[in-house]
Amino acid sequence: MKTQLIDGKAFAKNMTQKIAQEVKELQQHHNITPGLAVILVGNDPASEVYVRNKTKQTHQVGMRSFMHLLPETTTQEEILNLIARLNNDPDIHGILVQLPLPKGLNPNTIIQAIIPHKDVDGLTAYNTGKLALGHKDGFIPCTPLGCLMLLKSERSRLQGLHAVVIGASNLMGKPMAQLLLQEGCTVTVAHIHTRDPEKIAQEADILIVATGCSELVKGSWIKEGATIIDVGINRIKTKDNKTKLIGDVAFQEAFGKAAKITPVPGGVGPVTIACLLYNTLQAARNVRNLNKI
Ligand code: NAD
């Protein structure tokens, strides 16, 4: 079988061009410039890279970016005070707390302190509940939203397909399963305690993998003609002592078996950032009760 690459980079570029146009129109017609506040606590190198990328792209689409780089010693109370200020600041439409947080801080308490209409990462109980109920006016977490957009661009009809999601985190696997259910897929969620995930994966028309385990999914796990979305980002050492990024799917083994697959890097990653900008734009549009674009 000829395997086709799903080009997340090109998809994200197209999306951000449309977002930039919408930002211009929002400024011209409503005098609003979307503003995104990002809170990064500590010096996790991967998080620093993600945050830098997000900030750069926020500026590129014409939005305002408010960076809060806090030392590892920051207390929970200081972070909660900052979030309370951002919640009340009319220039800020979206608030994102970069995870993971340093030990000693409670991510749950911190995330839930974000006011739901600025929760552009879609992680508060309010927005999680909206998604579970199928309400369209909440914020959906950026990575599963991006995966669904990619899937919809590649497959004209999702209804009735068997989708297997491997990984069940609040950030990715659980909201992904909700979204696929709403599209009419039959959804199976596998996780660390699942017995024989290989057998379950073999049934998948759509296979979405978000575990953080390098190349967990081998060629033998894949149904001929499946569409695969590889969410994993794993940094590994190469023989020449350099590092490279690989996914949760053994890419070479999937090639020739899957009909379509996202590469790592250049698949889900860029679309996740585009979805963050999309949610931030929507948060700003909500100020004037403007519909979703
Ligand atoms: P997480 O650690 O919160 O959750 C991992 C999930 O995978 C858990 O539900 C766990 O039960 C399951 N799991 C772990 N090992 C497993 C195994 N051997 N077999 C079956 N299930 C297993 O991680 P997360 O935040 O959901 O992220 C998962 C991966 O996706 C990571 O590699 C992360 O870097 C990546 N990620 C990428 C993006 C992106 O934009 N591309 C965004 C978020 C996360």
Side-chain angles (χ1 to χ4, degrees):
M1 157 150 314
K2 194 170 176 322
T3 303
Q4 186 199 316
L5 275 186
I6 302 174
D7 188 346
K9 235 176 164 174
F11 186 89
K13 192 173 169 203
N14 190 277
M15 235 181 118
T16 47
Q17 278 168 352
K18 285 188 193 145
I19 292 169
Q21 188 55 38
E22 289 292 331
V23 169
K24 248 187 212 152
E25 285 175 23
L26 196 62
Q27 285 164 332
Q28 280 166 2
H29 301 304
H30 298 277
N31 200 22
I32 294 177
T33 301
L36 174 67
V38 177
I39 302 174
L40 173 64
V41 190
N43 309 93
D44 179 62
S47 294
E48 281 176 350
V49 174
Y50 294 147
V51 164
R52 223 178 301 136
N53 273 339
K54 285 170 186 170
T55 309
K56 193 172 137 205
Q57 295 202 31
T58 307
H59 287 140
Q60 276 171 356
V61 295
M63 295 182 182
R64 297 173 76 191
S65 163
F66 302 83
M67 274 299 303
H68 295 270
L69 299 173
L70 308 177
E72 190 142 1
T73 50
T74 310
T75 65
Q76 179 135 323
E77 198 189 346
E78 285 168 330
I79 299 171
L80 293 176
N81 285 339
L82 171 61
I83 292 176
R85 274 211 318 278
L86 299 173
N87 280 342
N88 287 314
D89 184 340
D91 287 340
I92 308 280
H93 302 94
I95 303 171
L96 178 136
V97 177
Q98 184 66 42
L99 299 174
L101 288 165
K103 283 199 184 88
L105 296 171
N106 183 336
N108 237 339
T109 311
I110 289 172
I111 296 293
Q112 300 308 324
I114 300 170
I115 196 165
H117 67 259
K118 297 191 181 187
D119 167 31
V120 285
D121 234 359
L123 295 175
T124 57
Y126 179 89
N127 284 313
T128 304
K130 284 260 175 202
L131 174 60
L133 292 169
H135 294 182
K136 303 288 181 212
D137 57 342
F139 288 112
I140 297 167
C142 305
T143 307
L145 176 60
C147 292
L148 182 69
M149 286 182 177
L150 276 178
L151 271 177
K152 282 179 138 178
S153 75
E154 294 295 331
R155 297 199 68 144
S156 51
R157 200 176 152 82
L158 298 179
Q159 210 173 63
L161 297 181
H162 188 184
V164 173
V165 181
I166 309 185
S169 66
N170 288 339
L171 190 88
M172 176 53 212
K174 286 188 208 165
M176 189 73 244
Q178 295 284 3
L179 288 169
L180 291 165
L181 258 183
Q182 281 161 30
E183 292 299 322
C185 293
T186 302
V187 183
T188 307
V189 181
H191 46 78
I192 188 83
H193 302 298
T194 298
R195 277 182 244 149
D196 206 351
E198 175 174 357
K199 194 165 161 226
I200 293 169
Q202 284 166 350
E203 300 284 313
D205 303 307
I206 294 168
L207 182 60
I208 300 187
V209 193
T211 63
C213 298
S214 320
E215 301 190 334
L216 172 75
V217 172
K218 313 287 179 217
S220 62
W221 292 39
I222 297 164
K223 177 178 174 177
E224 187 88 16
T227 299
I228 302 182
I229 307 285
D230 187 353
V231 181
I233 303 178
N234 309 291
R235 190 172 289 278
I236 58 153
K237 269 222 161 93
T238 56
K239 278 184 199 138
D240 50 358
N241 236 359
K242 292 190 175 139
T243 61
K244 71 167 186 172
L245 295 181
I246 62 166
D248 289 355
V249 178
F251 187 77
Q252 295 304 336
E253 295 183 27
F255 230 83
K257 223 165 168 199
K260 300 181 181 205
I261 185 167
T262 54
V264 178
V268 176
V271 186
T272 296
I273 300 186
C275 284
L276 173 67
L277 302 174
Y278 173 86
N279 279 351
T280 305
L281 170 65
Q282 191 52 44
R285 287 170 63 84
N286 287 345
V287 173
R288 293 279 194 274
N289 291 322
L290 300 170
N291 291 337
K292 276 199 172 164
I293 58 163

